[in-house]
Amino acid sequence: MNVTELRPGNYFLDEGNLYQVMDILLNKTAMRKMVAKVKVKNMRTGAITELARNSGYDVSPVFLEKKVMSYLYDGGTSLVFMDQNTYEQVEINKERLSWEMNFLKEGTEITILFYQDEILGIELPIKVNLTIIDCEPAVRGDTINKTMKNAKVETGFELKVPLFIDNGETIVVRTDTGEYDGRAN
């Protein structure tokens, strides 16, 4: 596949590295070949970089296997997931899931990405419902600005929430930014 045919969300192999395309910019000037600037995420390390390749450059497209699994428990150095259909269990090292751990609670269904029996990581749902276990009391008076206060959810993640949120309430949190998104129904 030519590098200019890549689109965001595609996976490809280049120089032994497995990448996911985050964004692509094609640049053509009068006297030069087209240059593709591809913002990519290394699927093995998680590093985000930018590659610049000429239009004649070829990459190998890759198709990843995705399996829906449930988070079971924290196994100390790794997290354990289970396929609900086959009861197959998979362990993933905690170091690879440092951000994702902020939104995982027992029973959460997630998608695990595989490439030829190699586990690359997990895809979280865009939004998750989490319960507030500790938050600061509301301070009245400052209502001119959109005031926020610190709160801690059941997974241990800390975020800012509006003043009207109290302990014990279930809120919706975005997994991409870690920000409050609203009250859960």
Side-chain angles (χ1 to χ4, degrees):
M1 169 187 260
N2 192 301
V3 72
T4 59
E5 298 170 11
L6 291 172
R7 299 292 171 255
N10 290 150
Y11 297 94
F12 68 95
L13 275 172
D14 184 38
E15 299 175 356
N17 293 314
L18 181 61
Y19 295 111
Q20 177 185 15
V21 178
M22 308 295 282
D23 195 19
I24 184 165
L25 176 67
L26 302 175
N27 189 2
K28 172 78 173 110
T29 57
M31 299 292 287
R32 291 184 60 195
K33 280 184 171 181
M34 184 180 298
V35 175
K37 290 185 179 179
V38 188
K39 183 177 178 183
V40 294
K41 177 181 180 183
N42 187 318
M43 294 304 293
R44 292 186 175 112
T45 64
I48 295 176
T49 56
E50 189 172 287
L51 304 174
R53 302 286 188 256
N54 288 331
S55 63
Y57 192 81
D58 287 335
V59 295
S60 303
V62 171
F63 298 98
L64 301 183
E65 181 184 350
K66 296 181 178 186
K67 264 189 198 174
V68 176
M69 296 186 141
S70 294
Y71 171 59
L72 285 183
Y73 60 89
D74 183 338
T77 59
S78 61
L79 301 178
V80 181
F81 301 88
M82 182 177 73
D83 186 329
Q84 293 295 334
N85 299 324
T86 64
Y87 301 109
E88 169 194 4
Q89 292 187 5
V90 174
E91 290 187 20
I92 303 177
N93 194 327
K94 275 184 171 180
E95 293 172 1
R96 296 185 66 183
L97 302 176
S98 57
W99 175 253
E100 291 86 347
M101 285 173 41
N102 293 321
F103 311 103
L104 286 175
K105 59 182 183 179
E106 289 182 14
T108 303
E109 286 199 348
I110 51 96
T111 304
I112 297 187
L113 300 171
F114 291 90
Y115 174 65
Q116 300 176 344
D117 298 333
E118 176 187 1
I119 298 171
L120 296 174
I122 67 173
E123 284 182 355
L124 292 168
I126 295 168
K127 298 175 184 178
V128 293
N129 293 347
L130 297 171
T131 305
I132 302 276
I133 58 169
D134 184 37
C135 69
E136 298 173 347
V139 178
R140 295 197 181 270
D142 187 11
T143 55
I144 297 170
N145 299 326
K146 184 178 174 186
T147 54
M148 306 289 264
K149 62 182 180 178
N150 295 321
K152 186 184 227 179
V153 293
E154 60 193 301
T155 60
F157 183 64
E158 294 185 10
L159 71 158
K160 298 271 189 192
V161 297
L163 292 177
F164 56 82
I165 300 294
D166 291 321
N167 285 337
E169 283 194 58
T170 303
I171 61 170
V172 179
V173 180
R174 293 187 56 89
T175 58
D176 55 351
T177 60
E179 294 176 350
Y180 169 84
D181 195 66
R183 282 185 165 149
N185 296 333

